[in-house]
Amino acid sequence: MSEAESSWARAATCLRLLLFAPDYLAGAVIRMRAAPDRDAITDALHPLAARKLHTTISDEQLFGGIDLSATLGANQLIENKGMFSARCTALLSMAERCGPELAAKLAHQLDGDRGHCLIALDEGADPEEAAPPALSDRLPFHIAPEGRRPVDWRVVPAGTHARHPQDVTVASDDAMALAALATTFGIDSLRAPLLALRVARTLAAIDDREAVSQTDLETAAGLVYPHRATRVPEEADSPEQSTPPDSSSHDDMSEGSQTKDIPHGDMFVDAVRALLPDDVLARLVPAGTTRALGGKGAGQKRKGNRRGRPLPSRPGRLDGRNRIDLVATLRAAAPWQPIRRRVQPKGSRLLIRPSDIRVKRYEDRSDRVLIFAVDASGSAAVARLNEAKGAVELLLAQAYAARDHVALISFRGTGAELLLPPTRSLVQTKRRLANLPGGGGTPLAMGLQEASVLALQSKSKGLTPTIVALTDGRANIALDGSANRAQATGDAERMAQLLRLQGFQALLIDTGARPQTALSDLSRHAGAQYLALPRADAQALTGAVSAALEV
């Protein structure tokens, strides 16, 4: 059997177990893009009658809530039923876009052990785009088959048996073996051996056996551990080949003692090692570290990221996220009270309908990021960089009050480099700006291209980018790295037009000894403001940028 066929066979085993005991196993992560092969897997789960759940679902739809209009009309508490008011199976689409708030709520439901089952459809294209760890850590299976689905692939139903997985007995040595095996592969979550134990019990229950066997433990570990592993054990880590530590650390002694509890030594470890993903070493995160912030690539969650001035209220629903505007609601309901009392004479004094509800709104403004693209080429590089350093530090001091961010891009030689990612840290800025290189050609097009990419990334994180370019206008390096002045000028104009099409606010500062007509034309291509500031110091540069952009 090929590796692809083996992965599809493991997927069928996971689905068979999940169909047999969804309330006991709690669900799975299915990491596949939308395609007929994924449809085949979701079709196999059709007997679970899963209810679709989107990442933008409201609290009222999830957990229910108070029906305000019905409560006021009946003069007693009336509540709506939510998805998790009773035991259910939920199908979470686009799980890689699930925010931490929703993930915490779903994790709380799974921890409650109320029999809920969650199927998370992960459509992430990159390793950083994945279902939240809060969910994947609580679900035993990670279904991601490789290659094309075999023609004869199908999920064989387990049938019905009187025995429930909880009725299967487990020896204490078996539980210790699963915990020791998890330690061998660097799995620090205590949920992993507990989930593997549940899978082993379910395997035994399907065969109507009273106790867990060695084969059940090996199969369960192969289904639960590979995608959770954070290290690949070497041959010396196996119990049969390891020797008692003498002068090693306490941690080594602890690990050595735990691996001795794994039954059948190398065979059990090798069975799991053989199922590890090929790229396990490339995507492992060392212990004690976390992934970079903002690496999920989930896109812009909202247009702004802080509350502004209040706006007029609007009709809406109380879904747990909106705040009711009580005064506006009463004003909307007041004209209809005489008519409603004639229709409902025995109702309460105040008759509220859902159409009367008004919710509060605010002007939602994003934080701004000032992206400085500094020309660090030629003989005037040192002076320009010193001016840019001072201006960035002065603008950063103002950013604390305005909640703005500052970024710095330097272009020289044959390329552009991001020297300072968007930050509000004054200490970090001074450290990064201490020693910046200068000299070489002027790849103006590359500088504008790098600024455009950073602006798009910042916008995807909810920031409003503004680009400030400082150059003397003598572009002589094209996008392909060639020293062709005519081609470099044309590339710079195309990059400027791209900035205009993207709609970013921009400011082009001419730092040459005399104003350059070419730069003035380039600013029109970019839809940017043009400022000629020869021999400007950091204070003058800061004042000009502040006045032009109204910082």
Side-chain angles (χ1 to χ4, degrees):
M1 181 182 295
S2 65
E3 185 175 349
E5 292 175 340
S6 178
S7 66
W8 278 97
R10 291 195 300 272
T13 302
C14 294
L15 297 176
R16 185 168 183 255
L17 294 169
L18 196 57
L19 289 171
F20 178 76
D23 57 335
Y24 187 65
L25 296 178
V29 175
I30 301 176
R31 185 173 173 83
M32 300 177 68
R33 305 299 295 271
D37 286 347
R38 195 187 74 174
D39 294 340
I41 289 182
T42 54
D43 290 343
L45 295 173
H46 181 72
L48 296 181
R51 301 176 60 182
K52 291 186 177 180
L53 186 157
H54 195 266
T55 54
T56 59
I57 192 170
S58 65
D59 290 351
E60 184 180 8
Q61 293 172 299
L62 281 175
F63 314 114
I66 298 176
D67 189 335
L68 182 59
S69 59
T71 298
L72 294 175
N75 206 19
Q76 61 179 359
L77 182 63
I78 298 179
E79 298 183 359
N80 294 321
K81 297 295 184 181
M83 176 182 293
F84 290 110
S85 297
R87 178 184 299 179
C88 76
T89 298
L91 182 67
L92 176 62
S93 59
M94 295 187 293
E96 77 282 359
R97 294 176 177 262
C98 179
E101 182 179 355
L102 177 59
K105 296 173 183 176
L106 296 177
H108 178 71
Q109 294 299 314
L110 295 176
D111 290 342
D113 202 17
R114 302 181 182 91
H116 298 309
C117 179
L118 177 66
I119 309 298
L121 297 181
D122 185 349
E123 302 179 15
D126 300 324
E128 291 79 9
E129 298 179 359
L135 296 181
S136 58
D137 188 43
R138 288 169 167 81
L139 304 177
F141 305 127
H142 184 90
I143 302 175
E146 302 175 359
R148 298 294 300 273
R149 174 171 50 96
V151 178
D152 57 347
W153 183 86
R154 66 189 185 95
V155 179
V156 180
T160 56
H161 300 281
R163 190 179 305 278
H164 191 273
Q166 289 181 332
D167 299 331
V168 176
T169 59
V170 179
S172 59
D173 292 343
D174 294 339
M176 293 181 62
L178 289 175
L181 186 63
T183 302
T184 301
F185 286 90
I187 303 173
D188 57 0
S189 173
L190 294 178
R191 293 189 179 93
L194 294 176
L195 291 174
L197 197 60
R198 290 196 174 199
V199 173
R201 278 177 159 172
T202 306
L203 288 167
I206 287 180
D207 294 338
D208 201 17
R209 288 183 277 106
E210 296 181 355
V212 170
S213 67
Q214 178 66 30
T215 303
D216 296 333
L217 295 177
E218 182 177 326
T219 304
L223 296 177
V224 177
Y225 286 169
H227 63 278
R228 290 177 161 87
T230 61
R231 77 181 186 97
V232 180
E234 300 178 357
E235 296 297 331
D237 291 334
S238 58
E240 292 182 354
Q241 298 181 0
S242 60
T243 58
D246 46 7
S247 59
S248 59
S249 64
H250 173 75
D251 293 338
D252 295 336
M253 296 178 60
S254 176
E255 182 175 345
S257 62
Q258 287 178 336
T259 54
K260 292 180 180 180
D261 296 327
I262 304 178
H264 297 280
D266 293 345
M267 295 180 58
F268 206 10
V269 176
D270 291 343
V272 178
R273 185 194 290 117
L275 298 176
L276 295 179
D278 295 335
D279 60 342
V280 64
L281 291 178
R283 61 183 177 84
L284 291 184
V285 181
T289 63
T290 57
R291 294 188 182 273
L293 296 177
K296 291 184 64 177
Q300 184 174 352
K301 182 179 180 181
R302 54 185 179 182
K303 292 182 179 180
N305 56 4
R306 59 186 159 96
R307 179 171 293 178
R309 64 181 181 85
L311 295 176
S313 59
R314 62 173 177 84
R317 298 178 56 191
L318 298 180
D319 56 1
R321 292 177 293 183
N322 295 322
R323 297 177 59 187
I324 185 172
D325 190 331
L326 184 58
V327 175
T329 299
L330 295 177
R331 287 176 178 171
W336 302 97
Q337 296 306 304
I339 299 177
R340 292 173 182 173
R341 289 196 187 97
R342 286 197 293 267
V343 176
Q344 192 177 351
K346 295 184 180 181
S348 60
R349 294 183 179 181
L350 182 62
L351 300 176
I352 303 293
R353 299 290 183 264
S355 59
D356 300 330
I357 302 298
R358 298 292 186 270
V359 295
K360 294 182 177 180
R361 289 193 306 158
Y362 297 89
E363 185 180 43
D364 206 9
R365 293 182 177 178
S366 296
D367 294 349
R368 181 165 60 182
V369 54
L370 300 178
I371 302 174
F372 283 83
V374 181
D375 182 358
S377 64
S379 59
V382 177
R384 273 195 303 270
L385 282 176
N386 288 333
E387 295 163 5
K389 292 178 187 179
V392 169
E393 291 187 12
L394 291 174
L395 286 171
L396 187 59
Q398 301 176 12
Y400 286 105
R403 296 183 62 83
D404 288 343
H405 298 68
V406 176
L408 180 62
I409 294 173
S410 172
F411 57 94
R412 68 184 185 95
T414 59
E417 181 184 3
L418 175 61
L419 298 176
L420 181 69
T423 182
R424 288 194 305 232
S425 172
L426 188 58
V427 176
Q428 181 184 7
T429 302
K430 291 182 177 180
R431 187 182 300 118
R432 296 288 182 89
L433 297 179
N435 296 306
L436 296 185
T442 307
L444 179 57
M446 293 183 182
L448 296 178
Q449 184 183 54
E450 185 71 18
S452 172
V453 172
L454 181 58
L456 288 174
Q457 294 175 350
S458 301
K459 184 178 180 181
S460 69
K461 298 175 183 178
L463 299 173
T464 300
T466 298
I467 299 173
V468 181
L470 293 83
T471 180
D472 59 6
R474 299 181 179 87
N476 52 26
I477 302 297
L479 282 175
D480 59 3
S482 61
N484 187 322
R485 187 177 296 276
Q487 183 179 349
T489 302
D491 289 345
E493 291 179 354
R494 283 189 289 273
M495 288 298 102
Q497 293 170 355
L498 177 62
L499 290 178
R500 183 169 190 167
L501 291 175
Q502 292 171 337
F504 296 135
Q505 185 181 11
L507 173 64
L508 198 153
I509 300 178
D510 186 351
T511 59
R514 294 180 181 179
Q516 300 290 321
T517 305
L519 277 185
S520 179
D521 295 338
L522 188 67
S523 65
R524 285 195 293 268
H525 286 297
Q529 300 183 57
Y530 171 77
L531 287 177
L533 293 176
R535 299 179 300 276
D537 58 9
Q539 190 68 43
L541 184 60
T542 303
V545 173
S546 301
L549 302 180
E550 296 181 357
V551 178

